[in-house]
């Protein structure tokens, strides 16, 4: 049986960025082990609201620790230029809805390129992608003007809004309380949840992928 990683992501979440980067980096090896990667946009704010969770930084002691964790993670995942923008946390409903439309209507390569661009824009270039004008510019980096208009108009429709809600509900039904959240079916048909970008060692074991075959993480030198 084919394995599948349903990866629930929101571009407001830097740890989703790390999870995304690392999944894509290991995509060829995953494919060779008969495992598909399914990138699924969700609304993290909705997940927090439904579960009563709060962004980790809202607990002061954890917020202070997060500075260290983020510093290590951004080096480990090869994104040293990542910086928390002054407008964080912003409302990423619009870009996430736009990604729902992109996923349904364009090749997977566009989904990957565009998702990467959203994270780069927000987390490396401090562009507030919750604003229509800024988002239009960021989408123009990968799409023709007529497509950008189509994507952003679609993002405002009931159908796409409902689809993002549906993705978020499914993630919640599968136990999500934050992002990145992965629901994984292995090649024996067994299904398990994995939370975070720092649990890939368990993922590789679950998928019977030898650890010496996956991309190494960089060592943080603090
Ligand atoms: N240890 C995880 C942390 C991931 C994380 O903190 N994700 C945030 C969003 S950026 C979240 O939703 N956290 C909820 C929680 O930790 O309860 C990792 O390294 O990826």
């Amino acid at each position: 049986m084919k394995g599948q990683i349903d990866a629930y992501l929101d571009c407001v979440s830097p740890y989703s960025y790390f999870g995304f980067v690392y999944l894509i980096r290991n995509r060829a090896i995953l494919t060779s082990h008969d495992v598909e990667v399914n990138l699924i946009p969700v609304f993290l704010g909705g997940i927090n609201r439904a579960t009563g969770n709060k962004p980790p930084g809202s607990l002061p002691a954890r917020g202070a620790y997060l500075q260290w964790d983020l510093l290590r993670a951004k080096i480990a995942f090869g994104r040293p230029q990542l910086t928390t923008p002054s407008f964080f946390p912003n409302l990423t409903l619009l870009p996430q809805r736009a990604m729902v439309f992109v996923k349904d209507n364009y090749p997977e390569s566009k989904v990957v390129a565009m998702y990467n661009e959203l994270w780069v824009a927000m987390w490396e270039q401090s562009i507030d992608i919750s604003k229509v004008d800024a988002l239009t510019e960021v989408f123009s980096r990968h799409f023709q003007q007529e497509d950008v208009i189509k994507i952003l108009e679609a993002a405002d429709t009931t159908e796409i809004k409902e689809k993002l809600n549906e993705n978020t509900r499914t993630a919640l039904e599968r136990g999500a309380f934050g992002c990145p959240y992965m629901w994984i079916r292995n090649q024996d048909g067994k299904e398990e949840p994995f939370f975070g970008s720092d649990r890939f060692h368990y993922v590789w074991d679950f998928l019977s992928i030898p650890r010496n075959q996956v991309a190494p993480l960089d060592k943080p030198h603090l």
Side-chain angles (χ1 to χ4, degrees), residues 13-15 44 48 53-54 56 62 69 177-180 195-198:
S13 147
Y15 289 96
L44 178 56
N48 282 339
N53 203 354
K54 292 195 169 56
R62 196 166 175 201
D69 193 56
F177 56 89
C179 284
F195 169 68
S197 57
D198 55 353

Side-chain angles (χ1 to χ4, degrees), residues 102-120:
V102 170
K103 181 173 160 64
D104 282 355
N105 292 279
Y106 293 90
E108 170 70 4
S109 57
K110 281 281 191 199
V111 178
V112 171
M114 199 54 236
Y115 238 147
N116 189 63
E117 199 68 54
L118 287 176
W119 272 298
V120 168

Side-chain angles (χ1 to χ4, degrees), residues 141-179:
R141 298 175 187 179
H142 290 279
F143 291 94
Q144 301 292 329
Q145 201 191 350
E146 66 211 61
D147 287 298
V148 177
I149 293 170
K150 194 161 79 175
I151 293 165
L152 292 190
E153 279 178 1
D156 202 31
T157 61
T158 311
E159 185 192 338
I160 294 297
K161 288 178 183 174
E162 183 42 41
K163 204 141 194 194
L164 182 66
N165 292 343
E166 195 183 304
N167 289 351
T168 306
R169 271 197 304 273
T170 305
L172 284 163
E173 281 161 18
R174 288 176 155 186
F177 56 89
C179 284

Side-chain angles (χ1 to χ4, degrees), residues 25 46 49 60 62 65-66 70 78 91 105 114 123 145 148 180:
R25 199 177 295 161
R49 200 177 326 118
R62 196 166 175 201
Y65 172 75
L66 267 182
L70 210 51
L91 191 66
N105 292 279
M114 199 54 236
W123 288 97
Q145 201 191 350
V148 177

